[in-house]
Amino acid sequence: MYPVSLAQIAEVTGGRLSQVPDLAVTVTGRAVIDSRQARAGDLFCAFDGAAVDGHAFAETAVRAGAAAVLASRDVPVPSIVVPDVTAALARLAGWSARQMTGTRIGITGSSGKTSAKDLLGQVLPGDGTLVTEGSQNNELGVPLTVLRADEATRYLVLEMGARGVGHIAYLCDIALPKIAVVLNVGRAHSGEFGSLDSTAAAKGELPAAVPSDGFAVLNADDARVAGMAARTRGTVVTFGLGPDADVRATDVSPDGLGRPCFTLRIAGSEAKVRLRLLGTHHVYNALAAAAVAHALGMSLDDIAARLSDAVAVTGGRMQLMERPDGVAVIDDAYNANPDSMNASLEALAAMRAGGRRIAVIGEMKELGASSPAEHRAVGEVAGKLGIDLVVAVGGDDAAQVAAGAQDAGADARLVPGREAARELLEGHRLGTGDVVLVKASLAAGLRALAADLAGRVSADGH
């Protein structure tokens, strides 16, 4: 965080100081919402949540070194008391963004945001690049990330999510992005957005927010994203597989584990890229990162080399775990929507490990009335791709996955939960060359299954 006195925080947030004996006391650390993470110089933000009231931990945070507490009621330690901690945090982050001399980069899309953000964070110079941790992309995560920036921050890479129209505009008012990246418009959260056009309207708030000296990096192969060029004042840079994209990939081909290789083409020059990430869908994420890096002045050769060295950072996204007995487990159970589900299944189908390809599919959330049909369609895709075994985990929607897979010719089984899935797979005696994809929304709770499968080798080697 940029050093800021408690008096300044009160002025920026419209709060009042309480239990503050010295107005010159300065916050020099981070803004934190967990008292267990508080360190010297931090600002502890006390939220009154449904399950936990942060005000009860105000003294703990200060004892751990926090300079003060941002609170919505009086606490017996130095604090700034505000009517609404979330709104106050946003105001403070907006103030911090206005102090920055570095470049703020916002990334959004229906899928791929976290992977693209992680790739860009590894392509840009490590010294001075700050990236959203995990998937902290909402009205709390974005301000907290902005407040991690300081005088040494050259590039601030922010993942931005939305649950409806107006959400990204709100985040942009806080973060003031100079570069906007829109990956795609898909069917994630269709139950909340209502239509793809509504989703596009929401995602388009990011390129609409960049200034005239900024950049809008847009997917040329997604018509709704390409159409956002009309909404921005910045210079438009496109990426994609087609011949008209400014940043292109050609000759895309996966290796035996589904890791894509391609030729990166920018401004008449080209370089080879061999991604370490699983799935050809990551080519678009890599192109987006390359487009931003090139706009910031990096050379094509440096971009290609850094993309080839990049690894999966955030767990639960096509994370490959290889067992000593030759079984490969892919944990992709942090998030799921119809588009990302299909991309993961295609990546599994492209693998040539010599054994069976098994898809453990949990339920997708927030799809509204279209949920049964979308789940059935996912099962049909798995069957048509030739997946050897489909294990659908859950209730009614999972039953649709199993039915769709069976109709498409796959061996499909329906199980009620994680333990039943594990027992079924144990019965199939996994062995060398088998690849097991575990894909679901986080709420389905299948990340624990992926971890369990990755570490489970019985005495007889199976």
Side-chain angles (χ1 to χ4, degrees), residues 184-247:
N184 46 55
V185 172
R187 292 166 288 175
H189 311 293
S190 58
E192 296 174 339
F193 285 107
S195 70
L196 289 176
D197 288 337
S198 293
T199 304
K203 302 300 183 184
E205 293 165 5
L206 180 52
V210 301
S212 57
D213 62 343
F215 294 89
V217 177
L218 305 176
N219 184 346
D221 296 343
D222 186 316
R224 288 182 173 84
V225 176
M228 295 175 192
R231 297 186 62 178
T232 187
R233 293 170 293 164
T235 299
V236 174
V237 179
T238 60
F239 64 92
L241 305 183
D244 296 329
D246 298 316
V247 178

Side-chain angles (χ1 to χ4, degrees), residues 29-398:
R30 308 157 301 160
V32 297
I33 60 176
D34 186 335
S35 63
R36 294 168 296 184
Q37 298 176 352
R39 300 291 184 270
D42 287 352
L43 176 68
F44 174 61
C45 304
F47 288 92
D48 189 359
V52 177
D53 183 357
H55 295 81
F57 301 93
E59 292 177 86
T60 301
V62 172
R63 282 197 300 270
V69 177
L70 188 64
S72 58
R73 65 174 185 268
D74 286 314
V75 290
V77 291
S79 57
I80 304 98
V81 182
V82 295
D84 185 321
V85 175
T86 301
L89 185 66
R91 293 191 192 101
L92 184 58
W95 171 86
S96 183
R98 287 167 175 81
Q99 312 309 305
M100 282 190 66
T101 56
T103 301
R104 296 168 300 280
I105 304 159
I107 299 179
T108 195
S110 295
S111 59
K113 297 184 292 296
T114 300
S115 297
K117 170 265 300 181
D118 288 341
L119 278 172
L120 181 56
Q122 294 175 81
V123 170
L124 295 176
D127 183 21
T129 296
L130 182 62
V131 180
T132 297
E133 293 180 344
S135 297
Q136 295 184 9
N137 61 22
N138 60 13
E139 65 274 12
L140 288 182
V142 169
L144 289 170
T145 304
V146 170
L147 287 168
R148 288 170 52 211
D150 57 22
E151 297 94 334
T153 304
R154 294 174 59 195
Y155 305 109
L156 178 61
V157 183
L158 297 162
E159 180 180 334
M160 293 185 173
R163 298 183 304 278
V165 173
H167 290 181
I168 289 178
Y170 171 80
L171 299 178
C172 290
D173 285 344
I174 296 169
L176 307 174
K178 188 171 183 179
I179 298 179
V181 181
V182 185
L183 299 169
N184 46 55
V185 172
R187 292 166 288 175
H189 311 293
S190 58
E192 296 174 339
F193 285 107
S195 70
L196 289 176
D197 288 337
S198 293
T199 304
K203 302 300 183 184
E205 293 165 5
L206 180 52
V210 301
S212 57
D213 62 343
F215 294 89
V217 177
L218 305 176
N219 184 346
D221 296 343
D222 186 316
R224 288 182 173 84
V225 176
M228 295 175 192
R231 297 186 62 178
T232 187
R233 293 170 293 164
T235 299
V236 174
V237 179
T238 60
F239 64 92
L241 305 183
D244 296 329
D246 298 316
V247 178
R248 299 176 55 205
T250 60
D251 310 315
V252 178
S253 62
D255 68 9
L257 282 176
R259 296 169 295 202
C261 308
F262 63 92
T263 301
L264 176 62
R265 300 178 184 273
I266 306 177
S269 299
E270 64 181 54
K272 287 291 185 182
V273 174
R274 294 182 178 275
L275 290 181
R276 299 187 181 189
L277 308 183
L278 305 183
T280 55
H281 58 289
H282 281 301
V283 172
Y284 279 100
N285 299 329
L287 290 175
V292 172
H294 189 259
L296 290 171
M298 287 186 63
S299 72
L300 174 62
D301 287 341
D302 282 348
I303 294 169
R306 288 174 178 265
L307 282 173
S308 297
D309 287 340
V311 296
V313 174
T314 304
R317 290 166 174 81
M318 295 300 285
Q319 182 179 11
L320 177 64
M321 298 175 285
E322 296 180 272
R323 296 189 344 191
D325 63 346
V327 175
V329 178
I330 302 170
D331 177 7
D332 197 20
Y334 190 90
N335 198 9
N337 59 64
D339 300 312
S340 69
M341 188 73 80
N342 292 344
S344 297
L345 289 169
E346 288 169 2
L348 176 64
M351 293 181 181
R352 299 181 295 277
R356 295 167 294 180
R357 292 165 299 181
I358 300 169
V360 181
I361 300 176
E363 294 178 337
M364 302 175 285
K365 305 300 181 182
E366 301 174 352
L367 295 180
S370 66
S371 189
E374 295 286 11
H375 281 84
R376 189 178 189 89
V378 163
E380 291 172 353
V381 168
K384 291 174 182 176
L385 287 171
I387 304 303
D388 296 295
L389 174 64
V390 176
V391 181
V393 185
D396 292 343
D397 282 336

